[in-house]
């Protein structure tokens, strides 16, 4: 009966043009954390309300205000676009793009991701005893009537296996970097570069913060962009790979993020913690962009949103529910 009720609710959601838009991208993202712990001690009620309302397109944007009869036009206050939707405000306004509002959100996600990656790589490089391997999760499960296997017999693979000289390079709008010249000379700047000189492996990681409905298109666009560079690096004797990761503008983290972290050897608990942090950061940034939708003045050099990652808990540096708007 519960399954039938759920099917009826999903069928009803599919029939809604505006409120049912989330049905098109629900399989590409991880669910928003609505646990009691996050509702009480998480990013705050305004951020959670914004994430939920934005997922069903019920935010007070100019197009919705016109639809509800509160105003006569749906013009964007920044670029004068005739139809100012939530999608337009969060990812598609040329004035906001030129003013680097979206860049600020992207770099805010990137700085928190850098913190997690740097700590993980430092631990990996310094831990010589485990030979760059981690126990598999399957080794902790024992079926009824079976004997437990030694944890040293089974390991979960990681793309970092085989060496402990991994290095990290992160590119920001305010702190542009140069691609490692000993690998190849290029003017392209992936968001994150992880490489090992001993194994001659390099990973080009591209972070995107698109609207949730554009996650798959963003991944394909980034892969196509860096395919020539990957081929050029492979021709030099190095082994290169492009990895795309996405965090939706509404605050929903794409499944590609957790897959990427697990491939690096992050534990499931750490993956959950990092994804919750990134979800909070992008939701706060998008909420600030939404609040400033009519504000022409925007300081592009504003401080990035940084959130401390403490296992499963999330503690805001500049307040749990206080996105800086001006």
């Amino acid at each position: 009966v519960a399954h039938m009720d759920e099917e009826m609710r999903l069928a009803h959601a599919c029939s809604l043009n505006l409120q049912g838009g989330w049905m098109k991208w629900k399989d590409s993202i991880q669910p928003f954390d609505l646990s009691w712990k996050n509702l009480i001690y998480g990013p705050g009620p305004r951020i959670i309300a914004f994430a939920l309302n934005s997922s069903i397109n019920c935010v007070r944007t100019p197009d919705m205000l016109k639809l509800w009869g509160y105003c006569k036009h749906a013009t964007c206050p920044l670029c004068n676009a005739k139809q100012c939707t939530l999608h337009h405000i969060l990812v598609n306004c040329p004035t906001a793009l030129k003013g680097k509002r979206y860049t600020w959100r992207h770099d805010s996600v990137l700085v928190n991701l850098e913190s997690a990656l740097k700590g993980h790589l430092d631990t990996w490089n310094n831990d010589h005893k485990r030979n760059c391997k981690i126990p598999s999760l399957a080794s902790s499960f024992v079926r009824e009537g079976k004997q437990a296997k030694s944890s040293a017999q089974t390991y979960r693979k990681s793309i970092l296996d085989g060496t402990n000289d991994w290095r990290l390079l992160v590119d920001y709008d305010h702190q542009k970097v140069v691609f490692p010249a000993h690998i190849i000379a290029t003017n392209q700047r992936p968001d994150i570069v992880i490489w090992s000189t001993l194994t001659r492996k390099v990973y080009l990681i591209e972070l995107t913060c698109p609207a949730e409905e554009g996650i798959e298109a963003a991944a394909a666009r980034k892969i196509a962009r860096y395919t020539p560079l990957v081929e050029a690096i492979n021709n030099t004797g190095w082994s290169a790979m492009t990895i795309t990761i996405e965090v939706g503008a509404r605050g929903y983290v794409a499944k590609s993020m957790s897959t990427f972290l697990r491939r690096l050897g992050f534990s499931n608990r750490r993956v959950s913690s990092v994804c919750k942090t990134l979800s909070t950061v992008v939701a706060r940034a998008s909420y600030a962009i939404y609040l400033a939708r009519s504000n022409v003045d925007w300081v592009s050099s504003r401080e990035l949103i940084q959130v401390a990652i403490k296992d499963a808990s999330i503690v805001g540096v500049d307040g749990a529910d206080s996105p800086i708007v001006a």
Side-chain angles (χ1 to χ4, degrees):
V1 173
H3 180 71
M4 293 176 60
D5 287 343
E6 182 66 16
E7 289 293 332
M8 292 178 61
R9 286 192 289 267
L10 293 177
H12 176 65
C14 288
S15 65
L16 303 175
N17 291 330
L18 289 177
Q19 288 79 10
W22 60 273
M23 291 291 296
K24 300 178 182 178
W25 44 266
K26 67 180 181 66
D27 295 330
S28 302
I29 53 90
Q30 303 179 52
F32 196 83
D33 184 15
L34 296 177
S35 63
W36 282 111
K37 184 174 183 179
N38 196 50
L39 292 177
I40 297 174
Y41 303 107
R46 293 185 181 274
I47 301 299
I48 294 176
F50 174 77
L52 294 178
N53 289 330
S54 63
S55 65
I56 58 174
N57 294 313
C58 282
V59 183
R60 293 173 62 88
T61 54
D63 69 315
M64 295 304 296
L65 292 176
K66 179 183 177 182
L67 180 64
W68 295 333
Y70 289 104
C71 61
K72 296 182 179 181
H73 58 84
T75 305
C76 175
L78 298 180
C79 67
N80 295 322
K82 294 182 179 180
Q83 193 70 5
C84 184
T85 63
L86 180 65
H87 181 276
H88 178 85
I89 293 174
L90 295 184
V91 299
N92 204 35
C93 179
T95 302
L97 176 63
K98 185 177 180 181
K100 298 187 176 182
R101 305 188 187 200
Y102 305 148
T103 302
W104 168 72
R105 178 179 59 198
H106 173 274
D107 287 357
S108 292
V109 176
L110 194 60
V111 71
N112 288 273
L113 185 59
E114 179 191 10
S115 176
L117 293 178
K118 187 176 185 302
H120 180 72
L121 292 180
D122 288 344
T123 301
W124 186 280
N125 291 334
N126 294 330
D127 193 353
H128 301 279
K129 294 183 179 180
R130 69 176 180 182
N131 194 26
C132 297
K133 295 182 179 180
I134 61 174
S136 171
L137 296 177
S139 62
S140 61
F141 178 77
V142 181
R143 293 185 179 275
E144 183 179 1
K146 301 292 183 178
Q147 293 183 353
K149 296 181 180 181
S150 172
S151 60
Q153 295 177 358
T154 308
Y155 289 95
R156 183 176 62 189
K157 292 184 178 180
S158 167
I159 60 176
L160 303 180
D161 284 339
T163 187
N164 52 13
D165 69 322
W166 292 102
R167 298 188 61 185
L168 175 70
L169 194 64
V170 181
D171 180 73
Y172 294 97
D173 181 69
H174 66 279
Q175 188 178 353
K176 295 179 174 60
V177 299
V178 178
F179 195 89
H182 67 282
I183 300 177
I184 195 172
T186 178
N187 61 350
Q188 290 186 283
R189 298 181 289 109
D191 291 324
I192 302 173
V193 181
I194 299 177
W195 77 92
S196 166
T197 303
L198 294 178
T199 59
R200 298 181 68 83
K201 292 181 179 180
V202 56
Y203 300 105
L204 316 180
I205 297 96
E206 267 295 304
L207 169 68
T208 316
C209 298
E212 280 74 1
E213 54 266 33
I215 287 178
E216 295 181 359
R221 185 171 62 252
K222 294 295 186 179
I223 290 291
R225 177 181 177 182
Y226 285 98
T227 296
L229 178 59
V230 169
E231 293 177 352
I233 295 175
N234 289 334
N235 292 333
T236 64
W238 283 68
S239 175
M241 178 187 297
T242 302
I243 302 176
T244 62
I245 50 179
E246 296 81 30
V247 182
R250 294 177 177 88
Y252 293 85
V253 179
K255 292 182 179 180
S256 58
M257 180 65 72
S258 58
T259 301
F260 163 66
L261 295 176
R262 289 190 178 94
R263 291 179 67 185
L264 287 180
F266 279 70
S267 65
N268 285 345
R269 182 177 181 182
R270 189 65 173 172
V271 169
S272 177
S273 175
V274 173
C275 288
K276 287 180 181 179
T277 299
L278 301 183
S279 175
T280 299
V281 169
V282 75
R284 289 173 59 177
S286 292
Y287 184 56
I289 293 173
Y290 163 74
L291 292 178
R293 63 191 181 276
S294 301
N295 189 358
V296 179
D297 297 328
W298 178 273
V299 181
S300 59
S301 60
R302 65 179 55 207
E303 186 176 355
L304 302 178
I305 299 176
Q306 290 185 265
V307 177
I309 305 176
K310 295 183 179 180
D311 294 330
S313 62
I314 300 176
V315 180
V317 174
D318 57 339
D321 189 21
S322 58
I324 304 174
V325 180

